[in-house]
Each structure stands twice: as structure tokens, then as C-alpha cells.
């Protein structure tokens, strides 16, 4: 989906009143793929992948913030997972799942010039923003179930790991 929204700018510059409308734009693209398979009568496998990309431009302007204060924001999220179910007997079942998720976000000033801020009048120059964030998550889980008559046993475990990197 794509969209644009107007933001009014009303500032008092040394040369006089500055009035304008600035368009902030945004877009988003999503994709999802899934594959399910019956490997045998007792084993099933499911694979899933999703991707989400978002972008917005002309962020941070409007009000007293002049157009040169704009920044662009881009983000991307990719996620993949695998699930496997195995029926070992009429009484025993095993379920395994692994998931990997990667997120990236990049914020960039449109101009690298120094900021000029006159409180109550206007803010000009660069947005003074440049950041990059990476976040990765990995998760494993395995659960074994056993039933016999009115008794059942369920045991399992899992782990979650996360790595985060920020540059500003």
C-alpha cells in the first residue's frame, strides 16, 4: 500500500512568514509464502516465510520544522519458520519448531547540514539523524507427548536467543 499525507509548515523566518504544505509519503509491501507437506502417514512438515518492507519519506517536518529537516525511514522484517510433527506410535507424538526473525531499520537525514533552531520561530538545517538498527531472534522448541489410558506425560524445552545492534 502506498500513501501520502500533507503536513502544513508555518514558520517565521528572518525574511518573513513561511507557509507551505509538505507531502510525507509512505509505502508498505508484505509477502507471505507457506508450504505444508505430509512427508508420510506419521510425519508432517510446514515451512513459512514472510517479508514486510516499509518506507516513509519527509518524516519530521511540519509546524516549525522546515523541509530541509526531513528524514527517511526504511525498515525490513523477514521471518522464517519450520515446524515438524512426528507420530511415533498411537501413544507418542513429537513436535519441533524453529523460527528465525530479522529486523532492520535505517533512518537517514535528507541533508547533513548543521541544525539551526530558533525557538518559537523555525527549525532549519539537517535533522541530525543517522541510525541503523539490526535485531535478530532465533527460537527452538521441542515437545514430546505420551498418553496411556487416563495418564499423559508432556515434556519439552526450548530456547530463545536475541542479538541487537544499534548504530547512531
Amino acid at each position: 500500500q502506498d500513501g501520502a499525507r500533507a503536513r502544513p509548515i508555518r514558520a517565521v523566518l528572518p525574511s518573513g512568514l513561511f507557509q507551505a504544505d509538505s507531502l510525507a509519503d509512505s509505502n508498505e509491501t508484505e509477502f507471505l509464502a507457506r508450504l505444508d507437506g505430509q512427508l508420510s502417514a506419521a510425519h508432517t512438515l510446514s515451512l513459512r516465510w514472510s517479508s514486510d518492507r516499509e518506507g516513509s519519506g519527509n518524516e519530521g517536518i511540519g509546524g516549525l520544522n522546515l523541509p530541509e529537516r526531513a528524514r527517511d525511514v526504511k525498515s525490513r522484517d523477514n521471518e522464517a519458520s519450520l515446524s515438524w510433527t512426528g507420530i511415533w506410535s498411537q501413544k507418542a507424538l513429537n513436535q519441533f519448531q524453529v523460527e528465525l526473525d530479522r529486523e532492520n531499520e535505517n533512518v537517514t537525514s535528507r541533508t547533513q547540514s548543521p541544525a539551526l533552531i530558533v525557538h518559537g520561530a523555525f527549525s532549519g538545517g539537517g535533522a541530525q539523524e543517522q541510525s541503523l538498527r539490526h535485531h535478530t531472534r532465533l527460537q527452538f522448541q521441542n515437545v514430546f507427548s505420551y498418553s496411556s489410558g487416563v495418564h499423559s506425560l508432556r515434556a519439552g524445552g526450548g530456547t530463545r536467543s536475541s542479538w541487537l545492534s544499534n548504530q547512531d
Side-chain angles (χ1 to χ4, degrees):
Q1 81 188 36
D2 293 327
R5 59 192 183 282
R7 293 187 179 152
I9 302 169
R10 307 286 182 260
V12 180
L13 301 175
S15 59
L17 184 63
F18 178 85
Q19 295 186 29
D21 287 329
S22 177
L23 285 179
D25 57 32
S26 65
N27 61 66
E28 181 176 5
T29 304
E30 294 182 46
F31 180 77
L32 174 67
R34 181 176 175 150
L35 177 65
D36 294 319
Q38 187 78 34
L39 301 177
S40 70
H43 299 279
T44 59
L45 184 69
S46 178
L47 300 168
R48 185 175 52 91
W49 177 68
S50 66
S51 180
D52 184 14
R53 294 175 187 239
E54 295 182 42
S56 59
N58 280 342
E59 288 290 323
I61 57 176
L64 299 176
N65 288 318
L66 299 175
E68 66 258 23
R69 298 279 297 161
R71 67 180 184 269
D72 296 325
V73 180
K74 294 179 183 176
S75 65
R76 180 175 40 193
D77 184 8
N78 290 304
E79 185 178 309
S81 68
L82 174 132
S83 298
W84 170 77
T85 302
I87 301 172
W88 298 110
S89 70
Q90 290 181 343
K91 297 179 180 185
L93 170 76
N94 195 72
Q95 296 170 304
F96 173 78
Q97 182 177 16
V98 61
E99 186 173 299
L100 177 66
D101 185 16
R102 290 195 52 128
E103 295 178 23
N104 298 301
E105 182 180 71
N106 189 7
V107 179
T108 308
S109 295
R110 287 269 176 99
T111 176
Q112 300 302 316
S113 63
L116 176 60
I117 299 171
V118 179
H119 292 283
F122 71 93
S123 294
Q128 306 292 303
E129 285 191 61
Q130 183 74 33
S131 65
L132 184 59
R133 182 178 68 86
H134 299 289
H135 190 188
T136 303
R137 288 180 294 278
L138 180 63
Q139 176 178 323
F140 291 98
Q141 177 177 309
N142 192 64
V143 177
F144 176 77
S145 303
Y146 182 81
S147 298
S148 180
V150 295
H151 301 286
S152 64
L153 171 70
R154 186 171 166 107
T159 183
R160 291 183 194 162
S161 297
S162 184
W163 299 269
L164 181 62
S165 168
N166 282 312
Q167 296 176 12
D168 193 351

